[in-house]
Amino acid sequence: MKRLLFTVTAATLLAIGVPFLGSAVGRFDNRLSKEQEILQALNRLTFGPRSGDVETVRRMGVAKWIDLQLHPERIPENPELEAKLKPLESLRMESAEIFKQYGAVPRALVPQFTPLNQLLSQEQMRKILNGTAEERQSALNDLDPEKRRKVLPMVPPAVISTPELQKELAEARKAQQEEQQKEFRRLMPPLPDLLTADQIPIAQRGTPEQRQALFASLDPVKRQQVAGALGPQSLSGFPEMRRAGMAARQPQQVAIADLREGKLYRALYSNRQLEEVLVDFWFNHFNVDEAKGSDRMMLASYERDAIRPHVLGHFKDLLLATARHPAMLFYLDNWESISPDALQTLQVGPFATGMNLTQVLGRQAHGLNENYGRELMELHTLGVNGGYTQQDVIEVARCFTGWTIRQPNVKPEFQFASFMHDNGEKTVLGRKIPAGGGEQDGLRVIDMLAHHPSTARFISGKLARYFVADDPPKALLDKMVQTFTKTDGDLRAVLETMFTSREFFSEGAWQSKVKTPFELVVSAVRATQADTTDSFALVQRIADLGEPLYGKVEPTGYVDNSEAWLSTGGLLGRINFATTLSAGRIVGVKIDASRLDGKDTATMERELLNRSPSPETQAAIENGLGGKPATPALITGLVISSPDFQRR
Amino acid sequence: MLTRRFFLRGPAIVMAGAGALPFWLARAATAAEGKRKILVAIFQRGAADGLNVVVPFADKRYYELRPTIGIPAPGPQNGVIDLDGHFGLNPALQPLKALWDKQQLAIVEATGSPDPSRSHFDAQDYMESGTPGVKSDGWLNRALTPGGPDTSPVRAIAMGAQLPRTLRGVHSAIAVANIQQLRLGDQNGASALESMYANTADAKMGHAGKDAFSAMKMIQSLTQGNYTPAGGAQYGQGGELGRSLQQVARLIKADVGVEAAFAEVGGWDHHGNEPPQLTNLLRQFGSALAAFALDMGDRMEDIVLVTMSEFGRTAEENGNSGTDHGHGDLMMVLGGPVRGGKVYGRWPGLEKEQLYEGRDLAVTTDFRDVLGELISGHLGQQNLGQVFPGHKPGEPLGLLRS
């Protein structure tokens, strides 16, 4: 009897236990169907399949298609993309040129003063500034009133010794203010100065056609001024005008606008989708915030010159490129990290504290800054549990002293400044770095970290979490680490190991990731075959959903775990975006819902999702329509809002 | 008798018209529950420099360690605002002085976590989990008493695009960047959408969707139009935090059942050029908190607000007029029930041998002791072992009036 009980209990436990075990292990062992494999590859290696993509991959064969994406140089680029990127000039410029063209504060915003020595002769100046009271009075009286009005606001208060002078000074200041306002108005005219009373409402609130006609009727100079007066927010749908207006009024914003709009166009139109996905991934990994100082002026170069060339190359090259780029040196403060000993040596002659020259030199560094040293190990290479200590952080920071920027804000290039460098002996992760290494110290650290076993594991883990699932299985990670180590960090090889693994094509990886706001918006526009003539509105939407592009403040970049994006406001925001997009109300995005005309609901759903939605979604749509006609716009909105579409 | 519950469970036709939930009904439903107690948690992300927020100006070591960025003693215009002869507020926190004088504001010094991590992200995760060294769900979620079928879907709210770890857990919590977002722009597919998310086999999506739709229904009609803060309170100078707290205030006053609220302020990671940046941040910070207290007025009797940061910063300034990652920090506690006008906690001192690892302010009060007192004394959650597993509480601080 006991035996029976035991057997029954054991059987029950086994019955409960095995499915649990089965599901935990089995998810990543159960292979997808051939059709699912195609969609899986598209969902992960692109920003979302467009109509016809499934057919293309099927004909080529999944393996061959993946291999092609891993070699973007073999893929002819979409000419449409080039056309859309053309006006975004700053994307092709060196940082120095961006500073020159877009870095200046507009003249109108800087009050212009004529210095005293240009208004007065030497003798007049002596009399007014240093003479006796009579000399001062006579010299001032001798000036014609116009000149006196310019001089008075420029002299020290002590010179304004009489009530008459004070009164004149007050009037002079007032006149000066008025002149500045006049000048401001001349350089940045408001709309009433530019357009007639009839034209203004059209410019601001007319239909797109009316506005287009009005803008086209103006000469280029006036058009730019009108654009500046209207402001970027009211010029959605008019990309060229908007850019011209920004260049005149807020030139620094042009740099970041070009980056954001460009990123959208690339994601939407590039044929080299995997390359774009990787640039997004690696920028996020080596995150820089556009809002810090003038970092935004250096990001075009950062993404184009430090990140993009290496996404399918060797990790150590990517790491070094980011370490040396002024954008990163500035963002994580390494550019101003200086050996405390160096400072002692500097405290001499004109550089000694207390001398005027040091005040003139402005803010200057005073010692070691740990920020880059820490994040280099914690976020870029080893990972937080990768085996480094606080002492290592300090030692690494010491190694990188002197890695700085030549002429920030003017000609930002990497420069090693040996006088800033801490030349002592250091110990990093147990290895001694002998004294006198100079620039080599930093290079040795880069080399050590790139080849550290924790790095192979950390990077493989990040890639697997992004491309496979939030909880990738150890077997896959082990394979990727092995490839990483064997190939000296060849990222293409590691990706190939991952994309050809059975885990990648398993149930565990199927629809396992929640799309970020960027991924949702781009995949929705791609799925609906929309044509984007102005990506400005899309950039705004993505920011509203919580992911301002290039705008992550912290060096961690945007989080890569799905739960993070499933907030109440976020979900409702996505639904609202889907509805607005489908109704054709996102400015600059032309949706062609008519291509779905005449099709039944199930067909429409399959075309948008490239598969049938889940039974629950299908039922909800059918029942929820409540007799209303299943128009393409309505179905499109519902499909893109569905839980099915939120995943990739 | 119609109840709020009826409307919450009702079909989508409830959403068909704006203002579907009668205002009087919501009031009637909650009136019987009495005045709910509310805990507001504010997280300063980036490791706020406590030593320059509340300055130990009487400790001369402070000025030795911070020759450039130290804040002058009380007296000059840019000097600290004297609190008790030992500590002073950063002058940018002027709006908080009145709350200190009214004894609604308390400060707990040298607080923090026993975990030695100086990684922002780990330390934030540990503090938000309330389990140093381990990442789990949120202490504030665990602090909520068990709910029932009538529990408000918005009893726990976080202001922001993503639900912070602090509020993750078994109880429903919602995150919104802006309560104006909590409405569907187009009602046409509303019932189909709600049903999609209610029935989906995708558990996480279903959960998120359920929260979204019930929160939306609850709040939609009660937050139409503009909001005018009481007492002339101005949130405009409070930056992002001001905007968040204004919405928290609005939701509390709408009597929708808010019990726990969360907001965050970033940008405290001042490795370089700290003084002007910290001043700017503190101006907004102080203004936001003061506006909230003014706006809530008498309701502050039911509210406790607590601030925290993942760790403090190095006692000594670094090479760039800034500070690096440290250890001990401070927490502020604000509210009607608070025994304010006092600095709590044992000051460990700033001599080298008194500093943690010779560089940071030491921790003499575990942050869980501060939070624990507020959770049990204010929210009424007595099972602290469940909120802070594995933690043995220290000496009670006496932060709340009995």
Side-chain angles (χ1 to χ4, degrees):
Chain A
M1 187 56 187
K2 253 199 195 148
R3 197 114 183 245
L4 184 59
L5 194 61
F6 173 83
T7 318
V8 168
T9 316
T12 317
L13 285 173
L14 215 55
I16 300 169
V18 165
F20 174 74
L21 282 173
S23 59
V25 171
R27 281 167 56 224
F28 289 103
D29 285 325
N30 295 342
R31 187 99 185 178
L32 298 173
S33 72
K34 286 280 166 245
E35 275 306 294
Q36 285 175 321
E37 280 184 18
I38 295 171
L39 204 47
Q40 175 75 344
L42 281 166
N43 278 337
R44 296 300 163 88
L45 276 73
T46 76
F47 279 110
R50 300 160 305 181
S51 180
D53 280 350
V54 169
E55 189 49 43
T56 308
V57 176
R58 186 186 295 121
R59 262 188 283 115
M60 196 183 291
V62 176
K64 213 153 157 246
W65 180 81
I66 290 179
D67 188 60
L68 185 59
Q69 285 292 324
L70 282 168
H71 294 90
E73 68 279 5
R74 298 181 197 159
I75 305 174
E77 188 50 287
N78 186 346
E80 265 192 276
L81 174 62
E82 234 184 87
K84 297 200 192 278
L85 292 177
K86 191 151 178 290
L88 309 177
E89 292 175 350
S90 72
L91 295 179
R92 299 184 286 279
M93 292 179 185
E94 295 294 337
S95 300
E97 212 191 327
I98 296 182
F99 273 109
K100 192 153 146 248
Q101 284 238 22
Y102 303 107
V105 180
R107 252 198 88 205
L109 297 178
V110 180
Q112 305 291 322
F113 296 110
T114 327
L116 270 182
N117 56 11
Q118 281 179 25
L119 291 167
L120 303 169
S121 70
Q122 281 277 55
E123 181 59 18
Q124 282 170 318
M125 269 183 65
R126 187 200 63 77
K127 280 197 187 145
I128 291 174
L129 295 177
N130 293 322
T132 64
E134 288 105 13
E135 281 184 311
R136 194 185 310 147
Q137 196 63 50
S138 79
L140 282 172
N141 288 340
D142 281 347
L143 297 173
D144 63 79
E146 165 110 21
K147 185 156 269 183
R148 193 160 62 237
R149 216 165 6 104
K150 286 200 184 128
V151 165
L152 283 179
M154 305 293 294
V155 301
V159 173
I160 315 292
S161 46
T162 67
E164 293 87 30
L165 281 178
Q166 272 164 10
K167 186 157 156 285
E168 242 194 287
L169 173 63
E171 283 167 10
R173 281 228 178 92
K174 193 153 153 282
Q176 204 174 49
Q177 245 180 2
E178 279 167 13
E179 246 182 69
Q180 270 161 20
Q181 278 167 356
K182 225 171 68 186
E183 183 68 1
F184 182 89
R185 203 177 161 128
R186 187 183 72 81
L187 291 171
M188 296 205 182
L191 277 183
D193 287 3
L194 297 162
L195 301 173
T196 67
D198 291 327
Q199 287 174 319
I200 292 180
I202 297 178
Q204 289 173 324
R205 295 183 301 273
T207 68
E209 293 78 24
Q210 289 172 328
R211 298 176 86 199
Q212 180 60 32
L214 173 60
F215 297 150
S217 74
L218 305 169
D219 69 81
V221 171
K222 180 162 271 185
R223 199 181 312 144
Q224 180 173 38
Q225 289 174 326
V226 168
L230 284 170
Q233 290 296 332
S234 52
L235 284 172
S236 187
F238 293 94
E240 275 157 37
M241 279 222 31
R242 183 178 65 246
R243 194 172 189 280
M246 276 199 293
R249 303 259 177 138
Q250 320 128 293
Q252 297 215 4
Q253 296 304 316
V254 174
I256 184 61
D258 281 357
L259 279 165
R260 290 176 165 148
E261 292 167 30
K263 188 176 167 92
L264 255 300
Y265 288 131
R266 286 185 173 279
L268 289 168
Y269 288 99
S270 175
N271 289 336
R272 299 169 180 163
Q273 282 283 299
L274 178 59
E275 180 181 314
E276 294 310 321
V277 169
L278 289 171
V279 170
D280 181 48
F281 173 86
W282 285 113
F283 184 95
N284 201 45
H285 179 83
F286 289 106
N287 184 60
V288 172
D289 177 21
E290 63 89 11
K292 177 161 179 171
S294 43
D295 251 327
R296 75 178 63 104
M297 316 293 273
M298 300 189 276
L299 285 186
S301 164
Y302 180 67
E303 195 179 76
R304 180 191 66 226
D305 305 327
I307 305 266
R308 187 176 291 274
H310 303 292
V311 298
L312 288 164
H314 287 261
F315 179 73
K316 64 185 180 191
D317 296 327
L318 176 57
L319 180 63
L320 182 60
T322 60
R324 286 170 90 82
H325 199 280
M328 177 62 77
L329 288 168
F330 179 76
Y331 175 59
L332 290 181
D333 305 318
N334 199 72
W335 73 292
E336 58 179 10
S337 179
I338 182 173
S339 162
D341 294 334
L343 275 171
Q344 292 303 8
T345 348
L346 270 179
Q347 297 284 355
V348 70
F351 301 99
T353 338
M355 293 300 299
N356 273 337
L357 197 58
T358 46
Q359 282 157 358
V360 165
L361 286 175
R363 183 164 80 88
Q364 22 156 20
H366 294 286
L368 201 63
N369 188 302
E370 290 174 20
N371 205 3
Y372 183 64
R374 176 186 308 283
E375 311 304 9
L376 172 65
M377 290 192 287
E378 181 181 333
L379 301 176
H380 296 172
T381 55
L382 307 177
V384 70
N385 296 317
Y388 62 90
T389 64
Q390 170 58 34
Q391 192 54 37
D392 286 320
V393 171
I394 295 176
E395 297 294 278
V396 168
R398 289 177 62 208
C399 289
F400 280 102
T401 46
W403 283 47
T404 185
I405 305 173
R406 175 193 350 262
Q407 291 199 301
N409 289 6
V410 176
K411 203 167 155 63
E413 294 165 354
F414 174 84
Q415 174 158 5
F416 177 74
S418 51
F419 79 92
M420 290 173 76
H421 183 69
D422 176 338
N423 258 311
E425 179 191 85
K426 303 143 185 103
T427 308
V428 175
L429 299 172
R431 299 248 280 270
K432 277 220 191 307
I433 296 182
E439 190 177 348
Q440 291 301 313
D441 289 350
L443 293 172
R444 282 181 75 144
V445 170
I446 297 277
D447 191 61
M448 269 172 67
L449 295 177
H451 293 103
H452 197 282
S454 293
T455 299
R457 189 148 292 274
F458 184 62
I459 298 299
S460 300
K462 270 201 109 178
L463 285 167
R465 269 195 306 281
Y466 184 85
F467 283 103
V468 181
D470 283 351
D471 57 344
K474 187 172 179 301
L476 172 63
L477 292 177
D478 288 344
K479 276 186 288 205
M480 291 169 72
V481 169
Q482 206 180 45
T483 305
F484 192 106
T485 317
K486 222 172 34 162
T487 63
D488 192 21
D490 182 339
L491 294 170
R492 179 183 280 129
V494 175
L495 288 171
E496 203 184 328
T497 300
M498 187 174 60
F499 291 145
T500 53
S501 72
R502 72 158 191 279
E503 288 88 353
F504 181 73
F505 287 115
S506 72
E507 260 173 38
W510 175 252
Q511 302 292 300
S512 65
K513 299 284 298 179
V514 172
K515 292 177 184 170
T516 65
F518 179 57
E519 288 163 358
L520 171 72
V521 167
V522 173
S523 64
V525 176
R526 282 170 68 90
T528 55
Q529 300 291 95
D531 179 34
T532 305
T533 51
D534 186 6
S535 58
F536 181 70
L538 294 174
V539 166
Q540 304 286 303
R541 287 285 175 154
I542 294 167
D544 290 344
L545 289 173
E547 195 186 4
L549 300 173
Y550 301 98
K552 182 64 173 155
V553 174
E554 297 82 13
T556 34
Y558 287 108
V559 287
D560 182 31
N561 102 50
S562 307
E563 270 184 44
W565 297 109
L566 290 181
S567 72
T568 296
L571 194 53
L572 291 176
R574 290 169 184 234
I575 293 174
N576 283 332
F577 164 73
T579 333
T580 317
L581 174 71
S582 328
R585 289 199 314 264
I586 303 257
V587 180
V589 180
K590 274 201 282 286
I591 220 178
D592 178 26
S594 70
R595 83 182 197 293
L596 295 175
D597 265 344
K599 304 207 167 131
D600 64 68
T601 306
T603 310
M604 283 197 267
E605 290 167 358
R606 259 199 320 272
E607 283 219 19
L608 290 160
L609 265 180
N610 288 289
R611 61 186 171 102
S612 289
S614 63
E616 296 84 11
T617 296
Q618 280 183 319
I621 292 179
E622 225 180 273
N623 300 334
L625 284 178
K628 281 198 282 277
T631 63
L634 186 57
I635 299 298
T636 304
L638 288 174
V639 169
I640 297 182
S641 305
S642 70
D644 310 57
F645 199 84
Q646 302 314 308
R647 287 192 178 274
R648 62 179 173 93
Chain B
M1 153 98 184
L2 291 178
T3 62
R4 192 161 44 102
R5 180 179 176 173
F6 171 82
F7 277 89
L8 287 178
R9 294 284 179 82
I13 48 174
V14 167
M15 292 196 302
L21 191 62
F23 191 74
W24 63 267
L25 191 62
R27 288 279 186 178
T30 54
E33 293 160 355
K35 285 295 185 188
R36 205 181 282 278
K37 301 295 181 195
I38 299 157
L39 183 62
V40 182
I42 312 279
F43 206 108
Q44 298 160 276
R45 294 201 188 280
D49 187 18
L51 287 173
N52 267 16
V53 174
V54 176
V55 176
F57 67 86
D59 193 330
K60 73 169 176 6
R61 274 288 288 162
Y62 169 80
Y63 294 103
E64 286 169 20
L65 291 166
R66 297 179 167 209
T68 317
I69 70 170
I71 319 251
Q77 201 193 16
N78 61 342
V80 302
I81 302 169
D82 191 0
L83 290 177
D84 62 358
H86 291 277
F87 294 97
L89 283 177
N90 185 307
L93 288 176
Q94 174 63 44
L96 296 183
K97 181 61 163 57
L99 294 167
W100 172 269
D101 292 335
K102 260 201 317 199
Q103 304 195 323
Q104 280 191 347
L105 174 67
I107 294 168
V108 191
E109 271 292 351
T111 57
S113 167
D115 187 272
S117 173
R118 287 200 188 84
S119 152
H120 287 302
F121 319 108
D122 275 358
Q124 284 178 22
D125 282 343
Y126 298 151
M127 187 169 273
E128 294 197 69
S129 304
T131 49
V134 171
K135 300 190 190 193
S136 61
D137 54 17
W139 64 268
L140 190 52
N141 194 300
R142 294 195 299 275
L144 295 169
T145 51
D150 268 343
T151 306
S152 166
V154 298
R155 90 193 270 218
I157 52 165
M159 304 309 299
Q162 299 178 347
L163 190 68
R165 188 177 285 271
T166 303
L167 272 175
R168 288 197 217 151
V170 298
H171 300 289
S172 253
I174 69 170
V176 314
N178 184 331
I179 53 181
Q180 298 300 333
Q181 279 175 351
L182 285 188
R183 42 180 45 85
L184 279 189
D186 182 341
Q187 295 290 322
N188 278 327
S191 71
L193 286 168
E194 194 178 353
S195 150
M196 248 190 248
Y197 278 89
N199 298 323
T200 180
D202 186 332
K204 288 201 178 125
M205 284 288 171
H207 192 79
K210 202 160 68 73
D211 283 350
F213 284 99
S214 47
M216 181 180 68
K217 279 189 255 188
M218 170 128 256
I219 288 171
Q220 210 164 336
S221 59
L222 295 171
T223 53
Q224 299 276 20
N226 288 328
Y227 173 72
T228 310
Q234 303 259 11
Y235 288 98
Q237 304 299 316
E240 196 58 49
L241 183 62
R243 278 190 286 282
S244 298
L245 286 178
Q246 174 169 335
Q247 301 194 69
V248 171
R250 185 172 189 179
L251 285 170
I252 294 176
K253 289 196 203 174
D255 279 324
V256 291
V258 173
E259 275 177 55
F262 177 95
E264 58 187 45
V265 204
W268 301 88
D269 193 21
H270 301 132
H271 284 277
N273 198 24
E274 180 177 317
Q277 296 183 73
L278 186 61
T279 300
N280 273 342
L281 265 186
L282 288 176
R283 273 211 193 104
Q284 292 184 338
F285 191 72
S287 170
L289 292 182
F292 179 74
L294 181 58
D295 187 10
M296 294 313 303
D298 288 337
R299 204 65 192 268
M300 280 305 280
E301 285 306 312
D302 302 318
I303 299 172
V304 172
L305 184 151
V306 61
T307 73
M308 69 202 80
S309 194
E310 64 266 31
F311 40 72
R313 306 189 72 82
T314 45
E316 185 172 7
E317 64 185 53
N318 71 9
N320 310 126
S321 302
T323 46
D324 293 309
H325 300 181
H327 193 55
D329 206 346
L330 64 87
M331 295 168 78
M332 295 191 190
V333 187
L334 172 68
V338 175
R339 199 180 285 146
K342 192 168 169 287
V343 175
Y344 293 80
R346 181 178 70 74
W347 179 249
L350 296 172
E351 298 295 336
K352 194 156 174 99
E353 60 275 10
Q354 293 169 325
L355 293 174
Y356 176 77
E357 292 185 1
R359 56 178 261 162
D360 312 323
L361 185 68
V363 170
T364 57
T365 301
D366 192 303
F367 74 98
R368 292 169 288 180
D369 287 341
V370 177
L371 297 177
E373 248 182 65
L374 303 177
I375 292 167
S376 59
H378 184 65
L379 283 185
Q381 165 65 272
Q382 301 306 331
N383 190 352
L384 286 183
Q386 170 197 290
V387 183
F388 297 117
H391 176 60
K392 193 162 160 303
E395 286 300 310
L397 293 159
L399 287 164
L400 301 174
R401 287 181 236 280
S402 32

